[in-house]
Amino acid sequence: GLIAKVKSERTKLFGSSRYKDGKIMPEAVQLQRELAKVGLELTLVDMTAGGDIDATVFGGIERADTFVVFGTADYGDDTGNPACTYYESKFALSYGKRIILLRMIPYEVQFEELQARQLFGVNKLSLEWIQGTKMPSSLVRDIQKAVDDPSTAPRSR
């Protein structure tokens, strides 16, 4: 069959994060709000919403130029759910998405999952926002800069 080529958009970002008690991290919601003010649309999928989570997640990644990893200690855990952060990040990597790593644990703390250690071990853009602290004032600007950088644009564009 014919494979539809989905055009990704520069102003769309997909947020990949673990869920605590089925809830989206407050930091992710705050970042979504702040990015919207500068015209960047950060998609966060509510895993409790029902419907076809897989299609929502992978479709969202496909449409976004940029994949934002909320790097908590347990990021990249293969929970057995096809739409877990482990598979989300693999999918984003295989599609050559621009990856923005948001490190949310102190540098002396190890990520629990190999997938996260591997992601954060590569020399990709890594920004820092320790979970539970105030959002760094430069964060939105740094993300904007990354999104505008043509050298990191997805290959498939």
Side-chain angles (χ1 to χ4, degrees):
L2 192 67
I3 294 173
K5 193 86 183 105
V6 176
K7 198 167 156 27
S8 62
E9 291 178 49
R10 194 187 58 79
T11 55
K12 287 194 192 312
L13 300 85
F14 185 90
S16 176
S17 73
R18 297 277 287 132
Y19 287 74
K20 285 280 173 274
D21 313 314
K23 293 208 180 17
I24 294 176
M25 286 171 48
E27 287 89 350
V29 177
Q30 187 186 349
L31 185 59
Q32 183 182 50
R33 228 184 7 248
E34 295 305 314
L35 287 173
K37 294 178 186 170
V38 298
L40 296 177
E41 184 189 326
L42 176 65
T43 297
L44 300 171
V45 178
D46 180 354
M47 291 298 180
T48 58
D52 190 345
I53 296 295
D54 295 359
T56 309
V57 165
F58 295 112
I61 296 171
E62 219 177 23
R63 281 187 298 276
D65 265 10
T66 303
F67 184 79
V68 181
V69 170
F70 288 89
T72 49
D74 58 354
Y75 186 87
D77 184 15
D78 183 354
T79 61
N81 175 339
C84 67
T85 54
Y86 175 80
Y87 290 111
E88 287 176 2
S89 52
K90 277 201 152 353
F91 184 78
L93 286 166
S94 70
Y95 266 69
K97 297 296 178 183
R98 173 190 295 107
I99 310 262
I100 295 178
L101 302 169
L102 195 49
R103 188 183 179 98
M104 304 194 84
I105 57 172
Y107 280 93
E108 60 276 10
V109 177
Q110 268 265 14
F111 287 101
E112 293 159 18
E113 303 298 328
L114 178 64
Q115 179 79 355
R117 290 197 296 274
Q118 184 202 338
L119 272 172
F120 282 84
V122 220
N123 221 341
K124 285 193 166 59
L125 176 65
S126 175
L127 303 171
E128 201 181 341
W129 180 7
I130 303 301
Q131 202 173 2
T133 65
K134 205 166 125 353
M135 181 165 99
S137 54
S138 61
L139 188 62
V140 168
R141 199 170 53 244
D142 289 342
I143 289 175
Q144 220 176 352
K145 222 176 13 226
V147 165
D148 288 334
D149 180 355
S151 75
T152 61
R155 293 189 299 266
S156 58
R157 279 272 300 215

